[in-house]
C-alpha cells in the first residue's frame, strides 16, 4: 500500500510506496505553513488507510471467495470493490457531525475517504483538496491496473503483495520468463505479481521434478527429499505442491489455495478446523511415542501454515524456485555418476575452471530438458 506523510520542514504532503527493487516517493502537494498540524496528520493517516483498504480489494478479490450469496464474504468483497466510485464524493462532501452525531460508513474504503474529507474540510484549502482528489484517483487507478495484470507505475507495488487469485496476463508473463530461465530470473520478483509467478513456477517445478525423477529413478514427489541430502533446501512446501499436482490439482488451484489458506490465518481465521485436529492428533501421537518427561510442548513446532503469514506468495515463490534448483542438484549428481562410469578418472574434475564449465553445461542441459517437459504439459497452465 501507499503510505502518506507530512514533511513539517518543507510543508509538503508526500506519498511513498515499495516496489520489488526499492522504495519510491512523490510530492503530492504543498501545505500552508500555518496549517493545523493535527488536521494534516489526520489527513495523512486517512489516506494511508484508504490505500490499504483499496489494495485489500486486490489481494482479496470477490472471485476468490467461496460464495457470492447475499451477506457472504464474496458479496461483501464485491460491494467494497464497487465502492471505488463513491470515494471522490466522500472526499468532497464528507459526513460531518450533526447535533453531536456522526454517520460512519460500513465500508472501510468509503469511511477512510470521509475521514480524509473531514480533515480537508478542517484545513479549508481548495488547492490541497484538488491535489488529494488527483492523488486518490492515481492510487485507485493503480489497483485497477494491477487487477488487469499491468504492473507499471504505481501498480508496481503489487509485486510485494500476496493475492488470493492470479491474473492470467501475469501468469503468462511469468511463464515466458521461466521459459527463458527455468531457474527463475530476477525479473520474476521485480515485475510479476508473486501469486501469478508462483502459479507458473509450480508448473515448471513439476517439469523439473519429472526430469529429475527420470534421471534418478525416484518418484517426482520424492526428488526434493533426496536433493535435500545434497544441499539443505526448503523442500517441504514445494513437495507439498508436487503432491497436490499429482493428486490432480492445477498449478493455479494448488498455489492460490495455499496462499488463501495463509491469508485467512493472517486475518485471524481458522480456515481448516478438521485439518488442525489432524495436526494436533499427529503431535499427540508423536509426543506419546517419543517425548520424555523433560520435553517442552513448545518444541513440537506446530505450524498453522507452511508459508510465512506476512508474505505468503513471495515465500511460496522462493520455495518453488528453490525446488527447481533442488531438482537440478539431483539430476546433476546422477549425471556425474554416469560420466564417471563412462570416463573413469581420466578427467580432472577438481580443476575449478573445468568444474565451472561442467556445471554450466549441466545447468544448460537440465534447462533444455525442463523446457521440453514443460512444453509437453502446457495444458497444466490453461
Amino acid at each position: 500500500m501507499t503510505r502518506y506523510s507530512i514533511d513539517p520542514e518543507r510543508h509538503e504532503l508526500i506519498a511513498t510506496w515499495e516496489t520489488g527493487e526499492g522504495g519510491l516517493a512523490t510530492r503530492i502537494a504543498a501545505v500552508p505553513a500555518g496549517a493545523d498540524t493535527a488536521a494534516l496528520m489526520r489527513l495523512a493517516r486517512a489516506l494511508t488507510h484508504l490505500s490499504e483498504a483499496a489494495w485489500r480489494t486486490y489481494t482479496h478479490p470477490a472471485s476468490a471467495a467461496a460464495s457470492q450469496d447475499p451477506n457472504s464474504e464474496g458479496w461483501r468483497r464485491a460491494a467494497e470493490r464497487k465502492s471505488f466510485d463513491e470515494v471522490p464524493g466522500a472526499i468532497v462532501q464528507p459526513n460531518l457531525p450533526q447535533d453531536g452525531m456522526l454517520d460512519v460508513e460500513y465500508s472501510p474504503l468509503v469511511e477512510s475517504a470521509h475521514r480524509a474529507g473531514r480533515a480537508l474540510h478542517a484545513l479549508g484549502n481548495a488547492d490541497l483538496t484538488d491535489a488529494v482528489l488527483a492523488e486518490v484517483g492515481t492510487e485507485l487507478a493503480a489497483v485497477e491496473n494491477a487487477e488487469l495484470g499491468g504492473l507499471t507505475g504505481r501498480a508496481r507495488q503489487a509485486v510485494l503483495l500476496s493475492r488470493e487469485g492470479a491474473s492470467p496476463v501475469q501468469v503468462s508473463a511469468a511463464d515466458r520468463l521461466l521459459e527463458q530461465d527455468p531457474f527463475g530470473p530476477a525479473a520474476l520478483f521485480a515485475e510479476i505479481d508473486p501469486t501469478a509467478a508462483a502459479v507458473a513456477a509450480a508448473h515448471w517445478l513439476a517439469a523439473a521434478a519429472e526430469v529429475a525423477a527420470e534421471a534418478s529413478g525416484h518418484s517426482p514427489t520424492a526428488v526434493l527429499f533426496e536433493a535435500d541430502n545434497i544441499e539443505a533446501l526448503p523442500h517441504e512446501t514445494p513437495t507439498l505442491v508436487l503432491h497436490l499436482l499429482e493428486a490432480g490439482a492445477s498449478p493455479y488451484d494448488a498455489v492460490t489455495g495455499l496462499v488463501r489458506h495463509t491469508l485467512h490465518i493472517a486475518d485471524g481465521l481458522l480456515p481448516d478446523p478438521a485439518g488442525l485436529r489432524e495436526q494436533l492428533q499427529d503431535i499427540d501421537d508423536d509426543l506419546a511415542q517419543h517425548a520424555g518427561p523433560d520435553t517442552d510442548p513448545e518444541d513440537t513446532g506446530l505450524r498453522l501454515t507452511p508459508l510465512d503469514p506476512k508474505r505468503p506468495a513471495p515465500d511460496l515463490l522462493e520455495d518453488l524456485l528453490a525446488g527447481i534448483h533442488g531438482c537440478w542438484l539431483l539430476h546433476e549428481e546422477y549425471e556425474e555418476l554416469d560420466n564417471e562410469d563412462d570416463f573413469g578418472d581420466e578427467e580432472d574434475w577438481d580443476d575449478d575452471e573445468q568444474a565451472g564449465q561442467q556445471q554450466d553445461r549441466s545447468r544448460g542441459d537440465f534447462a533444455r530438458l525442463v523446457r521440453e517437459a514443460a512444453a509437453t504439459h502446457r495444458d497444466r497452465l490453461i
Side-chain angles (χ1 to χ4, degrees), residues 158-230:
V159 302
L160 297 175
L161 302 176
S162 296
R163 194 181 191 215
E164 291 186 13
S167 160
V169 173
Q170 286 283 297
V171 173
S172 295
D175 181 55
R176 289 192 295 272
L177 288 173
L178 285 163
E179 187 172 17
Q180 297 170 17
D181 178 6
F183 292 95
L188 207 59
F189 294 91
E191 301 173 7
I192 306 295
D193 175 286
T195 302
V199 170
H203 165 61
W204 284 85
L205 172 63
E210 180 182 321
V211 172
E214 184 174 349
S216 66
H218 296 288
S219 70
T221 55
V223 293
L224 294 180
F225 180 80
E226 297 297 329
D228 186 58
N229 293 323
I230 303 171

Side-chain angles (χ1 to χ4, degrees), residues 259-273:
V259 172
R260 184 181 307 115
H261 182 274
T262 306
L263 287 174
H264 287 184
I265 289 175
D267 286 340
L269 303 175
L270 184 59
D272 185 14

Side-chain angles (χ1 to χ4, degrees), residues 30-55:
V31 297
D36 182 357
T37 301
L40 289 171
M41 294 180 67
R42 288 198 301 272
L43 172 63
R45 181 175 58 186
L47 291 174
T48 298
H49 289 166
L50 188 153
S51 174
E52 182 180 12
W55 280 105

Side-chain angles (χ1 to χ4, degrees), residues 113-283:
H114 278 283
R115 291 180 180 181
R118 285 193 285 273
L120 288 167
H121 178 79
L123 290 163
N125 186 294
D127 290 340
L128 179 59
T129 297
D130 289 343
V132 167
L133 281 171
E135 164 59 22
V136 169
T138 298
E139 187 71 5
L140 296 183
V143 176
E144 294 170 345
N145 289 338
E147 290 171 337
L148 297 173
L151 305 191
T152 59
R154 185 75 66 88
R156 285 183 62 193
Q157 58 189 297
V159 302
L160 297 175
L161 302 176
S162 296
R163 194 181 191 215
E164 291 186 13
S167 160
V169 173
Q170 286 283 297
V171 173
S172 295
D175 181 55
R176 289 192 295 272
L177 288 173
L178 285 163
E179 187 172 17
Q180 297 170 17
D181 178 6
F183 292 95
L188 207 59
F189 294 91
E191 301 173 7
I192 306 295
D193 175 286
T195 302
V199 170
H203 165 61
W204 284 85
L205 172 63
E210 180 182 321
V211 172
E214 184 174 349
S216 66
H218 296 288
S219 70
T221 55
V223 293
L224 294 180
F225 180 80
E226 297 297 329
D228 186 58
N229 293 323
I230 303 171
E231 178 183 306
L233 296 166
H235 60 87
E236 293 90 349
T237 301
T239 296
L240 171 59
V241 171
L242 288 172
H243 277 290
L244 292 171
L245 297 180
E246 185 182 58
S250 67
Y252 182 93
D253 289 339
V255 165
T256 57
L258 287 171
V259 172
R260 184 181 307 115
H261 182 274
T262 306
L263 287 174
H264 287 184
I265 289 175
D267 286 340
L269 303 175
L270 184 59
D272 185 14
L276 179 60
R277 282 195 295 269
E278 291 180 6
Q279 283 182 281
L280 293 173
Q281 184 60 53
D282 289 342
I283 289 177

